[in-house]
Amino acid sequence: MQTLSRRAVLAGAGISPWSAARAGTPAEWDTQPEIRPTDSVVARDMQCGPHFVLGPSVTTLAYLNRYTVNTDYGPFIAPSDVRLRRLLREIAAIAQLQAMQQTDAFEKAAVEAGKSPFRSAKALIDDPVGTLSAIPEGIGSIFSRATQQLHREGRSQYEDGPARQILAVSGYKRDYAAKLGVDVYSSNEALQKELDRMAWASAAGNLTLGALSFVTGALALQVASNVRLLEQAQNVVEATPPSELSKRNRQHLRRMAVPDAITDRFLRNPALSPRHETIIVACMAALGNIPGRARFIEYAAAADTEDAALLFQQMAELIATYNSDVSAVQEIAVVFNLPVIATVKGPHIILIPIDRLLWTPRNAEIAKALAGARPPVSEIWLTGDASPRAQAGLSELGLVLTQQCGKRLPLLD
């Protein structure tokens, strides 16, 4: 199956853009890219902090806001609102992890780790992305570096074997990430490096979480969802090794009658982290025995980037929370490459986790096609907002627009 980037998904596969001659004059369309002052888009407490400052402008192109972020740990690009929220939490976590490494408890643990029989794997600290990752693909390289330790003789009956010690590092990483409110599967290399240092000191140097001070309440934008389903899924991710998550998800998908070939593509897709997969599966399972769940899993299995994976995860979250908080979902379909839900109350709705909808020839034709589908889509819910031109254009087509729906339907990010 051909994979889809986030932009390809949001552009609507199979729909050709209108030309300006067919659709109207250039004055009727929003200019792309749209550039706005940062302070007109972002809340004041997100514009700067002890370790970061946002660039002066926000660029919107292809539905997502793009931010430049200068930090004490180097420059970053946040390619969407959700990625900005995640990044700011990660910056706060990096600062706290580095502060922990200045404590007596960490220094003592580091000395003990240096005496460990497993000290030859110190490369795990120096090359965290290449050698130690909570994502399953990294496990092979972990064990390849530890081959000589697997055959060590004379171990006491009270010691964990080297393999268990390696896996313990991954477990401690999950613990630290959960405590700090960040995703252990994040692609942020600076964050991964600091998590690895702390996890190694815990696994090889007997550093305990109880010996450290966590200021979780001070972390930027700590997510506090009141949705029990999403909280449960998050807790499972934090407490469960990746291999066990895969088994658990496969069992759930089998109970949902998802064909094995689709399940394999979904669970073996390297763009989907165990967190993405677990949250998507939990959301689909919560809908009950409705048509279209297998089709959504197949749809999500096409993710080929981190942003696309996060998009599919949040689509699943929106569908599940709409089902629990607004109206029961009866069916999921994919129309013009966008998931459409049919509800008990009757309307067919699209729930889209995007930052900004601009009115362009392509978007105008997609909207017209959705309004003319059989059955027609009648409502569009956005987590972000729409430009004045987009609002007027959707209204003319009879499409009811709900903006900032993320405030009503919480997301995990």
Side-chain angles (χ1 to χ4, degrees), residues 28-340:
E28 296 177 9
W29 310 118
D30 286 317
T31 301
Q32 289 189 288
E34 181 185 60
I35 301 175
R36 292 174 289 170
T38 295
D39 58 10
S40 70
V41 180
V42 181
R44 184 180 298 274
D45 60 350
M46 293 176 60
Q47 294 174 28
C48 63
H51 304 284
F52 74 93
V53 61
L54 269 60
S57 61
V58 178
T59 301
T60 305
L61 181 64
Y63 315 96
L64 303 175
N65 294 329
R66 182 180 177 88
Y67 303 87
T68 57
V69 188
N70 294 312
T71 80
D72 290 349
Y73 320 109
F76 290 86
I77 295 294
S80 67
D81 285 357
V82 61
R83 292 291 296 275
L84 177 63
R85 294 193 296 268
R86 286 165 62 95
L87 176 61
L88 298 190
R89 289 198 299 273
E90 290 170 353
I91 291 169
I94 292 169
Q96 189 165 6
L97 288 165
Q98 289 189 347
M100 290 175 183
Q101 292 169 31
Q102 305 304 313
T103 63
D104 292 341
F106 179 86
E107 291 181 3
K108 181 179 178 180
V111 171
E112 292 300 315
K115 300 176 182 177
S116 167
F118 205 57
R119 61 186 178 276
S120 60
K122 184 179 180 295
L124 293 170
I125 295 177
D126 299 328
D127 184 18
V129 175
T131 59
L132 178 60
S133 173
I135 300 176
E137 287 73 19
I139 296 297
S141 60
I142 295 173
F143 281 98
S144 67
R145 286 177 179 263
T147 299
Q148 63 186 32
Q149 294 295 333
L150 291 173
H151 302 288
R152 186 175 67 86
E153 299 290 337
R155 187 168 48 82
S156 76
Q157 63 177 326
Y158 304 105
E159 290 182 57
D160 282 339
R164 288 186 64 188
Q165 289 184 9
I166 300 172
L167 294 177
V169 177
S170 182
Y172 279 112
K173 279 187 69 172
R174 292 195 303 275
D175 290 342
Y176 281 112
K179 196 76 173 177
L180 292 167
V182 293
D183 179 7
V184 71
Y185 301 103
S186 169
S187 60
N188 185 327
E189 295 186 14
L191 173 67
Q192 289 291 341
K193 182 175 181 179
E194 302 305 329
L195 285 173
D196 286 337
R197 290 181 186 276
M198 297 301 298
W200 183 253
S202 297
N206 299 315
L207 178 66
T208 64
L209 273 68
L212 300 167
S213 175
F214 289 84
V215 190
T216 54
L219 288 180
L221 301 171
Q222 180 74 26
V223 173
S225 170
N226 59 0
V227 180
R228 182 172 175 79
L229 163 68
L230 300 182
E231 288 178 342
Q232 289 176 336
Q234 178 73 358
N235 291 339
V236 169
V237 171
E238 292 169 352
T240 310
S243 59
E244 294 301 316
L245 287 177
S246 181
K247 292 178 183 177
R248 179 189 180 99
N249 290 332
R250 185 175 292 276
Q251 292 170 353
H252 282 302
L253 292 172
R254 184 172 293 119
R255 286 195 286 269
M256 284 188 269
V258 177
D260 288 344
I262 294 175
T263 294
D264 289 343
R265 287 202 300 272
F266 179 76
L267 295 178
R268 294 174 182 173
N269 184 340
L272 293 167
S273 75
R275 183 178 189 266
H276 296 135
E277 293 168 354
T278 301
I279 294 171
I280 291 172
V281 169
C283 290
M284 291 298 104
L287 297 174
N289 188 24
I290 66 168
R293 294 186 300 174
R295 180 67 186 90
F296 187 90
I297 295 297
E298 182 179 25
Y299 177 67
D304 65 350
T305 66
E306 181 180 7
D307 284 332
L310 187 56
L311 172 74
F312 291 127
Q313 174 196 309
Q314 293 198 314
M315 285 178 171
E317 291 180 53
L318 289 171
I319 292 171
T321 51
Y322 186 97
N323 177 74
S324 62
D325 294 2
V326 182
S327 179
V329 175
Q330 289 187 315
E331 183 176 359
I332 303 173
V334 177
V335 180
F336 300 121
N337 201 47
L338 293 170
V340 176

